[in-house]
Amino acid sequence: HGMSVLSCMAADLDGGLIGTAPNASYYLLRTEDSYSENLIEEYNWVCGAEFADSIGVDVINSSLGYTTFDYSIQNYEYNDLDGQTSPSSKAANMAARKGVIVVNAAGNSGNGNWKYIGAPADADSILTVGAVDENKEIASFSSYGPTSDGRIKPSICAQGKNTEVINFQGNVIKSNGTSFASPVLAGLVTCLWQAHPTKSNMEIINAIIQTSTLYTAPNNHDGYGLANFYRADSLLNSK
């Protein structure tokens, strides 16, 4: 999973797949325990975000989310998705306050009983990314909002259905998940910020949202719609 996520941003195959930020510098931080789902993993996420901030990381892509755990007493309810309850959401908010752009997958629960985003996708001041297909149609599996306190989520959408990625065997395949929509967008965010290095993280985020396709009419599935980085760049140039 991590290999495929990274490839959305960093791939640079001669005559093949090119990621959205192939020349960026990357730190790979693993906070997830793939053999279990326990609350400690959120605290791992907190530590990962603290480390990223300590070494000067500008953009965090986080292709994970938490709603249910191995011990049901740890499970979140919808009311908990207020951006202020879960440890990872609190850490994402703090990272944003420190100037980092956090890009997080919305989740893949759209077809399930839960349907909603998880944590830290509910955090304020971050970009929560839903998934569309190659025809710009929202993927049915893409989790939706709003947050329990009424904020629009996802923030924005990118291709997360039939997304070309590299698997652990080194082959280019098509795969599905907001886990891939998030890094596709994160790489583009990084390129936009490189073009406007004097802008703050929130100025970059606001420019992306204000120039998206559904900015004047957002909804709980698509958020503010598809980003248009050409328009975002023009908006930032005008300020």
Side-chain angles (χ1 to χ4, degrees), residues 40-135:
I40 187 63
E41 294 169 60
E42 282 203 73
Y43 288 99
N44 293 344
W45 198 99
V46 175
C47 293
E50 287 180 335
F51 176 78
D53 176 58
S54 74
I55 57 177
V57 163
D58 299 302
V59 178
I60 293 175
N61 175 71
S62 172
S63 287
L64 49 69
Y66 299 97
T67 55
T68 59
F69 299 92
D70 293 346
Y71 299 97
S72 59
I73 194 174
Q74 298 177 344
N75 291 353
Y76 291 124
E77 297 179 353
Y78 179 67
N79 288 339
D80 295 320
L81 298 181
D82 58 0
Q84 302 292 331
T85 298
S86 78
S88 59
S89 299
K90 291 178 180 178
N93 288 332
M94 183 169 289
R97 289 197 295 270
K98 288 181 172 292
V100 177
I101 295 180
V102 178
V103 185
N104 204 96
N108 303 323
S109 300
N111 287 326
N113 292 328
W114 172 262
K115 299 184 184 303
Y116 297 108
I117 58 171
D122 64 326
D124 194 8
S125 304
I126 73 167
L127 286 170
T128 300
V129 190
V132 297
D133 62 17
E134 63 271 34
N135 298 313

Coordinates of all heavy atoms in Angstrom, one line a residue, residues 40-135:
I40 N -3.5 3.1 19.8 CA -2.1 3.5 19.9 C -1.6 3.9 18.5 O -0.6 4.7 18.4 CB -1.2 2.3 20.4 CG1 0.2 2.7 20.7 CG2 -1.3 1.1 19.5 CD1 0.4 3.8 21.7
E41 N -2.2 3.4 17.4 CA -1.7 3.8 16.1 C -2.0 5.3 15.8 O -1.2 5.9 15.1 CB -2.4 2.9 15.1 CG -1.9 1.4 15.2 CD -2.7 0.5 14.3 OE1 -2.8 0.7 13.1 OE2 -3.4 -0.4 14.9
E42 N -3.0 5.8 16.4 CA -3.2 7.2 16.3 C -2.2 8.0 17.0 O -1.7 9.1 16.5 CB -4.6 7.6 16.8 CG -5.8 7.3 15.9 CD -7.0 8.2 16.2 OE1 -6.9 9.4 15.9 OE2 -7.9 7.6 16.7
Y43 N -1.7 7.5 18.1 CA -0.6 8.2 18.8 C 0.7 8.1 18.1 O 1.5 9.0 18.1 CB -0.5 7.7 20.3 CG -1.6 8.1 21.1 CD1 -2.7 7.3 21.4 CD2 -1.6 9.4 21.7 CE1 -3.8 7.8 22.2 CE2 -2.7 9.9 22.5 CZ -3.8 9.0 22.7 OH -4.8 9.5 23.5
N44 N 0.8 6.9 17.4 CA 1.9 6.8 16.4 C 1.9 7.9 15.4 O 2.9 8.5 15.0 CB 1.9 5.4 15.7 CG 2.2 4.3 16.7 OD1 2.7 4.5 17.8 ND2 1.9 3.1 16.3
W45 N 0.7 8.2 14.9 CA 0.5 9.2 13.9 C 0.9 10.6 14.4 O 1.5 11.4 13.8 CB -1.0 9.3 13.4 CG -1.3 10.0 12.2 CD1 -1.5 9.4 10.9 CD2 -1.4 11.4 12.0 NE1 -1.7 10.4 10.0 CE2 -1.6 11.7 10.6 CE3 -1.3 12.5 12.8 CZ2 -1.8 12.9 10.1 CZ3 -1.4 13.8 12.3 CH2 -1.7 14.0 10.9
V46 N 0.5 10.8 15.7 CA 0.9 12.1 16.3 C 2.5 12.2 16.4 O 3.0 13.2 16.0 CB 0.4 12.1 17.8 CG1 0.9 13.4 18.5 CG2 -1.1 12.1 17.8
C47 N 3.1 11.1 16.7 CA 4.6 11.1 16.8 C 5.2 11.3 15.4 O 6.2 12.1 15.2 CB 5.1 9.8 17.4 SG 4.7 9.6 19.1
G48 N 4.6 10.7 14.4 CA 5.0 10.9 13.0 C 4.9 12.3 12.6 O 5.8 12.9 11.9
A49 N 3.8 13.0 12.9 CA 3.6 14.4 12.5 C 4.6 15.3 13.3 O 5.1 16.2 12.7 CB 2.2 14.8 12.8
E50 N 4.8 15.0 14.5 CA 5.8 15.8 15.3 C 7.2 15.6 14.7 O 7.9 16.6 14.5 CB 5.8 15.3 16.7 CG 4.6 15.7 17.6 CD 4.7 15.2 19.0 OE1 5.4 14.2 19.3 OE2 4.1 15.9 19.9
F51 N 7.6 14.4 14.3 CA 8.9 14.2 13.7 C 8.9 15.0 12.3 O 9.9 15.7 12.0 CB 9.2 12.7 13.4 CG 10.4 12.5 12.7 CD1 11.7 12.5 13.4 CD2 10.4 12.2 11.3 CE1 12.8 12.3 12.7 CE2 11.6 12.0 10.7 CZ 12.8 12.0 11.4
A52 N 7.9 14.9 11.5 CA 7.9 15.6 10.2 C 8.1 17.1 10.4 O 8.8 17.7 9.7 CB 6.6 15.3 9.5
D53 N 7.4 17.6 11.4 CA 7.5 19.1 11.7 C 8.9 19.4 12.1 O 9.5 20.4 11.7 CB 6.5 19.5 12.7 CG 6.6 21.0 13.1 OD1 6.5 21.8 12.3 OD2 6.9 21.2 14.3
S54 N 9.5 18.5 12.9 CA 10.8 18.8 13.5 C 11.9 18.9 12.4 O 13.0 19.5 12.6 CB 11.2 17.8 14.6 OG 11.5 16.5 13.9
I55 N 11.7 18.2 11.3 CA 12.7 18.2 10.2 C 12.4 19.1 9.1 O 13.0 19.1 8.0 CB 13.0 16.7 9.7 CG1 11.7 16.1 9.2 CG2 13.6 15.9 10.8 CD1 11.9 14.7 8.6
G56 N 11.3 19.9 9.3 CA 11.0 20.9 8.3 C 10.1 20.4 7.1 O 10.1 21.1 6.1
V57 N 9.4 19.4 7.3 CA 8.5 18.9 6.2 C 7.4 20.0 5.9 O 6.9 20.6 6.9 CB 7.8 17.6 6.6 CG1 6.6 17.3 5.7 CG2 8.8 16.4 6.5
D58 N 7.1 20.2 4.7 CA 6.1 21.2 4.3 C 4.7 20.6 4.1 O 3.7 21.2 4.4 CB 6.5 21.9 3.0 CG 7.9 22.6 3.1 OD1 8.0 23.5 3.9 OD2 8.8 22.3 2.3
V59 N 4.7 19.4 3.5 CA 3.4 18.7 3.2 C 3.4 17.3 3.7 O 4.4 16.6 3.5 CB 3.2 18.7 1.7 CG1 1.9 18.0 1.3 CG2 3.2 20.1 1.1
I60 N 2.3 16.9 4.4 CA 2.2 15.6 4.9 C 1.0 14.9 4.1 O -0.1 15.5 4.1 CB 1.8 15.5 6.4 CG1 3.0 16.0 7.3 CG2 1.4 14.1 6.8 CD1 2.6 16.1 8.7
N61 N 1.3 13.8 3.4 CA 0.3 13.0 2.9 C 0.0 11.9 3.8 O 0.9 11.1 4.2 CB 0.6 12.4 1.5 CG -0.5 11.5 1.0 OD1 -1.6 11.9 0.7 ND2 -0.2 10.2 1.1
S62 N -1.3 11.7 4.2 CA -1.7 10.7 5.1 C -2.8 9.8 4.5 O -4.0 10.3 4.4 CB -2.2 11.3 6.4 OG -2.8 10.4 7.3
S63 N -2.5 8.7 4.0 CA -3.4 7.8 3.4 C -4.0 6.7 4.3 O -3.8 5.5 4.1 CB -2.8 7.2 2.1 OG -2.6 8.1 1.1
L64 N -4.6 7.2 5.4 CA -5.2 6.3 6.4 C -6.3 7.0 7.1 O -6.4 8.2 7.0 CB -4.2 5.7 7.3 CG -3.1 6.6 8.0 CD1 -3.8 7.5 9.1 CD2 -2.1 5.8 8.7
G65 N -7.0 6.3 7.9 CA -8.1 6.9 8.7 C -8.6 5.9 9.7 O -8.4 4.7 9.6
Y66 N -9.2 6.4 10.8 CA -9.6 5.6 11.9 C -11.1 5.8 12.2 O -11.5 7.0 12.3 CB -8.8 5.8 13.1 CG -7.3 5.5 12.9 CD1 -6.4 6.5 12.5 CD2 -6.9 4.2 12.9 CE1 -5.1 6.3 12.3 CE2 -5.5 3.9 12.7 CZ -4.6 5.0 12.4 OH -3.3 4.7 12.2
T67 N -11.9 4.7 12.3 CA -13.3 4.8 12.8 C -13.5 3.7 13.8 O -14.1 3.9 14.8 CB -14.2 4.7 11.6 OG1 -14.0 3.5 10.8 CG2 -14.1 5.9 10.7
T68 N -13.1 2.5 13.4 CA -13.4 1.3 14.3 C -12.1 0.6 14.6 O -11.1 0.7 13.9 CB -14.3 0.3 13.7 OG1 -13.8 -0.2 12.4 CG2 -15.7 0.9 13.4
F69 N -12.1 0.0 15.8 CA -10.8 -0.7 16.3 C -11.1 -2.1 16.7 O -12.3 -2.5 16.8 CB -10.3 0.1 17.5 CG -9.9 1.6 17.2 CD1 -10.8 2.6 17.3 CD2 -8.6 1.8 16.7 CE1 -10.5 3.9 17.0 CE2 -8.3 3.1 16.4 CZ -9.2 4.2 16.5
D70 N -10.1 -2.8 17.0 CA -10.2 -4.2 17.5 C -11.0 -4.3 18.8 O -11.7 -5.3 19.0 CB -8.9 -4.9 17.7 CG -8.1 -5.0 16.3 OD1 -8.7 -4.9 15.3 OD2 -6.9 -5.3 16.4
Y71 N -10.9 -3.3 19.6 CA -11.7 -3.2 20.8 C -12.8 -2.2 20.7 O -12.5 -1.0 20.6 CB -10.8 -2.9 22.0 CG -9.7 -3.9 22.3 CD1 -8.4 -3.7 21.7 CD2 -10.0 -5.1 22.9 CE1 -7.4 -4.7 21.9 CE2 -9.0 -6.1 23.1 CZ -7.7 -5.8 22.6 OH -6.7 -6.8 22.8
S72 N -14.0 -2.6 20.6 CA -15.1 -1.8 20.2 C -15.2 -0.6 21.2 O -15.8 0.5 20.8 CB -16.4 -2.5 20.2 OG -16.7 -3.1 21.5
I73 N -14.7 -0.7 22.4 CA -14.8 0.5 23.3 C -14.0 1.7 22.8 O -14.3 2.8 23.2 CB -14.3 0.1 24.7 CG1 -14.7 1.1 25.8 CG2 -12.8 -0.1 24.7 CD1 -14.4 0.7 27.2
Q74 N -13.1 1.4 21.9 CA -12.3 2.5 21.3 C -13.0 3.1 20.1 O -12.5 4.2 19.6 CB -10.9 2.0 20.9 CG -10.1 1.5 22.1 CD -8.8 0.9 21.6 OE1 -8.5 0.6 20.4 NE2 -7.8 0.7 22.6
N75 N -14.0 2.5 19.6 CA -14.6 3.0 18.3 C -15.1 4.4 18.4 O -15.6 4.9 19.5 CB -15.8 2.1 17.9 CG -15.4 0.7 17.5 OD1 -14.2 0.4 17.4 ND2 -16.4 -0.2 17.3
Y76 N -15.1 5.1 17.3 CA -15.6 6.4 17.2 C -17.1 6.4 16.8 O -17.5 5.5 16.0 CB -14.9 7.3 16.2 CG -13.5 7.6 16.7 CD1 -12.4 7.3 15.9 CD2 -13.3 8.2 17.9 CE1 -11.1 7.6 16.3 CE2 -12.0 8.5 18.3 CZ -10.9 8.2 17.5 OH -9.6 8.5 18.0
E77 N -17.9 7.3 17.3 CA -19.2 7.6 16.8 C -19.2 8.8 16.0 O -18.2 9.6 16.0 CB -20.2 7.8 18.0 CG -20.3 6.5 18.9 CD -21.2 6.7 20.1 OE1 -21.6 7.9 20.3 OE2 -21.4 5.7 20.8
Y78 N -20.3 9.0 15.2 CA -20.3 10.2 14.3 C -20.1 11.5 15.1 O -19.4 12.4 14.6 CB -21.6 10.2 13.6 CG -21.8 11.4 12.6 CD1 -20.9 11.5 11.5 CD2 -22.7 12.4 12.9 CE1 -21.0 12.6 10.7 CE2 -22.8 13.5 12.1 CZ -22.0 13.6 11.0 OH -22.1 14.7 10.1
N79 N -20.6 11.6 16.3 CA -20.5 12.8 17.1 C -19.0 13.1 17.4 O -18.7 14.3 17.7 CB -21.3 12.7 18.4 CG -22.8 12.8 18.1 OD1 -23.2 13.3 17.1 ND2 -23.6 12.3 19.1
D80 N -18.2 12.1 17.3 CA -16.7 12.3 17.6 C -16.0 13.0 16.5 O -14.9 13.5 16.6 CB -16.1 11.0 17.9 CG -16.6 10.3 19.2 OD1 -16.8 11.0 20.2 OD2 -16.8 9.1 19.2
L81 N -16.6 13.0 15.3 CA -16.0 13.5 14.1 C -16.1 15.1 14.0 O -16.7 15.6 13.1 CB -16.5 12.9 12.8 CG -16.3 11.4 12.8 CD1 -16.9 10.8 11.5 CD2 -14.8 11.0 12.9
D82 N -15.6 15.7 15.0 CA -15.7 17.2 15.1 C -14.4 17.9 14.9 O -14.3 19.1 15.1 CB -16.3 17.6 16.5 CG -15.5 17.1 17.7 OD1 -14.5 16.4 17.4 OD2 -15.9 17.4 18.8
G83 N -13.4 17.1 14.6 CA -12.0 17.6 14.4 C -11.3 18.0 15.7 O -10.1 18.4 15.6
Q84 N -11.9 17.7 16.8 CA -11.3 18.1 18.1 C -11.2 16.9 19.1 O -10.8 17.1 20.2 CB -12.1 19.2 18.7 CG -12.3 20.5 17.9 CD -10.9 21.2 17.7 OE1 -10.1 21.1 18.5 NE2 -10.8 21.9 16.6
T85 N -11.6 15.7 18.6 CA -11.7 14.6 19.6 C -10.6 13.6 19.5 O -10.0 13.3 20.5 CB -13.1 13.9 19.4 OG1 -14.1 14.9 19.7 CG2 -13.2 12.7 20.4
S86 N -10.4 13.1 18.3 CA -9.4 12.0 18.1 C -8.0 12.6 18.2 O -7.7 13.7 17.9 CB -9.6 11.3 16.8 OG -9.0 12.1 15.7
P87 N -7.0 11.8 18.7 CA -5.6 12.2 18.9 C -5.0 12.6 17.5 O -4.3 13.6 17.4 CB -4.9 11.0 19.4 CG -6.0 10.2 20.1 CD -7.2 10.4 19.3
S88 N -5.3 11.9 16.5 CA -4.7 12.2 15.2 C -5.3 13.5 14.6 O -4.6 14.3 13.9 CB -4.9 11.0 14.2 OG -6.3 10.7 14.0
S89 N -6.6 13.7 14.8 CA -7.2 15.0 14.3 C -6.6 16.2 15.1 O -6.4 17.2 14.5 CB -8.7 14.9 14.5 OG -9.3 13.9 13.7
K90 N -6.4 16.0 16.4 CA -5.8 17.1 17.1 C -4.4 17.4 16.6 O -4.0 18.6 16.5 CB -5.8 16.8 18.6 CG -7.1 16.7 19.3 CD -6.9 16.3 20.8 CE -8.3 16.2 21.5 NZ -8.1 15.7 22.9
A91 N -3.7 16.3 16.3 CA -2.3 16.5 15.8 C -2.3 17.2 14.4 O -1.5 18.0 14.1 CB -1.6 15.2 15.8
A92 N -3.3 16.8 13.6 CA -3.4 17.4 12.2 C -3.7 18.9 12.3 O -3.1 19.7 11.6 CB -4.4 16.7 11.4
N93 N -4.6 19.2 13.3 CA -4.8 20.7 13.5 C -3.6 21.4 14.0 O -3.3 22.5 13.5 CB -5.9 20.8 14.6 CG -7.3 20.4 14.1 OD1 -7.6 20.5 12.9 ND2 -8.1 19.9 15.0
M94 N -2.8 20.8 14.8 CA -1.6 21.4 15.3 C -0.6 21.6 14.2 O 0.1 22.6 14.1 CB -1.0 20.6 16.5 CG 0.2 21.3 17.1 SD 0.7 20.6 18.7 CE -0.6 21.1 19.8
A95 N -0.5 20.6 13.4 CA 0.5 20.6 12.3 C 0.1 21.8 11.4 O 0.9 22.6 10.9 CB 0.5 19.3 11.5
A96 N -1.2 22.0 11.1 CA -1.7 23.1 10.3 C -1.3 24.4 10.9 O -0.9 25.4 10.2 CB -3.2 23.0 10.1
R97 N -1.5 24.5 12.2 CA -1.2 25.8 12.9 C 0.3 26.1 12.9 O 0.7 27.2 13.0 CB -1.6 25.7 14.4 CG -3.1 25.8 14.6 CD -3.5 26.1 16.0 NE -3.2 25.1 16.9 CZ -3.9 24.0 17.3 NH1 -5.1 23.9 16.7 NH2 -3.5 23.2 18.2
K98 N 1.1 25.0 12.7 CA 2.6 25.2 12.6 C 3.0 25.5 11.2 O 4.2 25.6 10.9 CB 3.3 24.0 13.2 CG 3.2 23.9 14.7 CD 3.9 22.7 15.3 CE 4.0 22.7 16.8 NZ 4.8 23.8 17.3
G99 N 2.1 25.5 10.2 CA 2.5 25.9 8.9 C 2.6 24.7 7.9 O 2.9 24.9 6.8
V100 N 2.2 23.5 8.3 CA 2.3 22.3 7.5 C 1.0 22.2 6.7 O -0.1 22.5 7.3 CB 2.6 21.1 8.3 CG1 2.6 19.8 7.4 CG2 3.9 21.2 9.0
I101 N 1.0 21.8 5.5 CA -0.2 21.4 4.8 C -0.4 19.9 4.9 O 0.4 19.1 4.5 CB -0.2 21.7 3.3 CG1 -0.1 23.3 3.1 CG2 -1.4 21.2 2.6 CD1 0.0 23.7 1.6
V102 N -1.5 19.5 5.6 CA -1.8 18.1 5.8 C -2.9 17.7 4.7 O -3.9 18.3 4.7 CB -2.3 17.8 7.2 CG1 -2.7 16.3 7.4 CG2 -1.3 18.2 8.2
V103 N -2.6 16.7 4.0 CA -3.5 16.1 3.0 C -3.8 14.7 3.4 O -3.0 13.9 3.5 CB -2.8 16.1 1.6 CG1 -3.8 15.7 0.5 CG2 -2.3 17.5 1.2
N104 N -5.1 14.5 3.6 CA -5.6 13.2 4.2 C -6.7 12.6 3.4 O -7.6 13.3 2.9 CB -6.0 13.4 5.6 CG -5.9 12.1 6.4 OD1 -5.0 11.9 7.2 ND2 -6.9 11.2 6.3
A105 N -6.6 11.3 3.2 CA -7.6 10.5 2.5 C -8.9 10.6 3.2 O -9.0 10.5 4.4 CB -7.2 9.1 2.3
A106 N -10.0 10.7 2.5 CA -11.4 10.8 3.1 C -11.8 9.5 3.7 O -12.5 9.4 4.7 CB -12.4 11.3 2.1
G107 N -11.4 8.4 3.0 CA -11.8 7.1 3.5 C -12.6 6.4 2.4 O -13.1 7.0 1.4
N108 N -12.8 5.1 2.6 CA -13.4 4.2 1.5 C -14.7 3.5 2.1 O -15.0 2.4 1.8 CB -12.4 3.2 1.0 CG -11.2 3.8 0.5 OD1 -11.2 4.8 -0.2 ND2 -10.1 3.1 0.7
S109 N -15.4 4.3 2.9 CA -16.6 3.7 3.5 C -17.9 4.1 2.9 O -19.0 3.9 3.5 CB -16.6 4.1 5.0 OG -15.5 3.6 5.7
G110 N -17.9 4.8 1.7 CA -19.1 5.3 1.1 C -20.2 4.3 0.8 O -21.3 4.6 0.8
N111 N -19.7 3.0 0.6 CA -20.7 2.0 0.3 C -21.1 1.2 1.5 O -21.9 0.3 1.4 CB -20.1 1.0 -0.8 CG -20.0 1.6 -2.2 OD1 -20.9 2.3 -2.5 ND2 -19.0 1.2 -2.9
G112 N -20.5 1.4 2.6 CA -20.7 0.7 3.8 C -21.8 1.3 4.7 O -22.4 2.3 4.4
N113 N -21.9 0.7 5.9 CA -22.9 1.2 6.9 C -22.5 2.5 7.5 O -23.3 3.3 7.9 CB -23.1 0.1 8.0 CG -23.8 -1.1 7.5 OD1 -24.7 -1.0 6.5 ND2 -23.5 -2.3 8.0
W114 N -21.1 2.6 7.6 CA -20.6 3.9 8.3 C -20.8 5.1 7.4 O -21.3 6.1 7.7 CB -19.1 3.6 8.7 CG -18.5 4.9 9.1 CD1 -17.7 5.7 8.4 CD2 -18.6 5.5 10.5 NE1 -17.2 6.8 9.2 CE2 -17.8 6.6 10.5 CE3 -19.2 5.1 11.6 CZ2 -17.6 7.4 11.6 CZ3 -19.1 5.9 12.8 CH2 -18.3 7.0 12.7
K115 N -20.3 5.0 6.1 CA -20.4 6.0 5.1 C -19.5 7.2 5.2 O -19.1 7.8 4.3 CB -21.9 6.4 4.9 CG -22.8 5.3 4.5 CD -24.2 5.8 4.2 CE -25.1 4.7 3.9 NZ -24.7 3.9 2.7
Y116 N -19.3 7.6 6.5 CA -18.6 8.9 6.7 C -17.1 8.8 6.7 O -16.5 7.7 6.7 CB -19.1 9.4 8.0 CG -20.6 9.7 8.1 CD1 -21.4 8.9 8.9 CD2 -21.1 10.8 7.4 CE1 -22.8 9.2 8.9 CE2 -22.5 11.0 7.4 CZ -23.3 10.2 8.2 OH -24.6 10.5 8.3
I117 N -16.5 10.0 6.7 CA -15.1 10.1 6.8 C -14.7 9.6 8.2 O -15.5 9.4 9.1 CB -14.6 11.6 6.6 CG1 -15.3 12.5 7.6 CG2 -14.9 12.0 5.2 CD1 -14.7 13.9 7.7
G118 N -13.4 9.4 8.4 CA -12.8 9.1 9.7 C -11.9 10.1 10.3 O -11.9 11.3 9.8
A119 N -11.1 9.7 11.2 CA -10.1 10.6 11.8 C -8.7 10.2 11.2 O -8.4 9.0 11.0 CB -10.0 10.5 13.3
P120 N -7.8 11.2 10.8 CA -7.9 12.6 11.0 C -8.6 13.4 9.9 O -8.3 14.6 9.8 CB -6.5 13.0 11.2 CG -5.7 12.1 10.3 CD -6.5 10.8 10.4
A121 N -9.3 12.7 9.0 CA -9.9 13.5 7.9 C -10.9 14.5 8.3 O -11.2 15.4 7.6 CB -10.6 12.5 7.0
D122 N -11.4 14.4 9.6 CA -12.3 15.4 10.1 C -11.6 16.7 10.6 O -12.3 17.6 11.0 CB -13.2 14.8 11.2 CG -12.4 14.4 12.4 OD1 -11.2 14.0 12.3 OD2 -12.9 14.5 13.6
A123 N -10.3 16.7 10.6 CA -9.6 17.9 11.2 C -9.9 19.1 10.3 O -10.1 19.1 9.1 CB -8.1 17.6 11.2
D124 N -9.8 20.2 11.0 CA -10.0 21.5 10.4 C -8.7 22.0 9.8 O -7.6 21.5 10.1 CB -10.4 22.6 11.4 CG -11.0 23.9 10.8 OD1 -11.1 23.9 9.6 OD2 -11.2 24.8 11.5
S125 N -8.7 22.9 8.8 CA -7.5 23.5 8.2 C -6.6 22.5 7.5 O -5.4 22.7 7.4 CB -6.7 24.2 9.3 OG -7.5 25.2 9.9
I126 N -7.2 21.3 7.1 CA -6.4 20.4 6.2 C -7.2 20.1 5.0 O -8.4 20.5 4.8 CB -6.2 19.0 7.0 CG1 -7.4 18.2 7.1 CG2 -5.6 19.3 8.4 CD1 -7.2 16.8 7.5
L127 N -6.6 19.5 4.0 CA -7.2 19.1 2.8 C -7.6 17.6 2.9 O -6.8 16.7 2.9 CB -6.3 19.3 1.6 CG -6.2 20.8 1.1 CD1 -5.0 20.9 0.1 CD2 -7.5 21.3 0.6
T128 N -8.9 17.3 3.0 CA -9.4 16.0 3.0 C -9.9 15.6 1.6 O -10.7 16.4 1.0 CB -10.6 15.9 4.0 OG1 -10.1 16.2 5.3 CG2 -11.1 14.5 4.0
V129 N -9.4 14.5 1.1 CA -9.5 14.2 -0.4 C -10.4 13.1 -0.6 O -10.2 11.9 -0.2 CB -8.1 14.0 -1.0 CG1 -8.3 14.0 -2.5 CG2 -7.1 15.1 -0.6
G130 N -11.5 13.3 -1.4 CA -12.3 12.3 -1.9 C -11.9 11.8 -3.2 O -11.0 12.3 -3.9
A131 N -12.5 10.7 -3.7 CA -12.0 10.0 -4.9 C -13.1 10.2 -6.1 O -14.3 10.0 -5.9 CB -11.8 8.5 -4.7
V132 N -12.5 10.5 -7.3 CA -13.3 10.4 -8.5 C -12.7 9.5 -9.5 O -11.5 9.1 -9.2 CB -13.5 11.8 -9.1 CG1 -14.2 12.8 -8.2 CG2 -12.1 12.4 -9.5
D133 N -13.4 9.1 -10.5 CA -12.8 8.3 -11.6 C -12.2 9.1 -12.7 O -12.2 10.4 -12.6 CB -13.8 7.2 -12.1 CG -15.0 7.8 -12.7 OD1 -15.0 9.0 -13.1 OD2 -16.0 7.1 -12.9
E134 N -11.8 8.4 -13.8 CA -11.2 9.2 -14.9 C -12.2 10.0 -15.6 O -11.8 10.9 -16.4 CB -10.5 8.2 -15.9 CG -11.5 7.2 -16.5 CD -11.7 5.9 -15.7 OE1 -11.7 6.0 -14.5 OE2 -11.8 4.9 -16.3
N135 N -13.5 9.9 -15.4 CA -14.5 10.7 -16.0 C -15.0 11.8 -15.0 O -16.0 12.4 -15.3 CB -15.7 9.8 -16.4 CG -15.4 8.8 -17.4 OD1 -14.7 9.1 -18.4 ND2 -15.8 7.5 -17.2

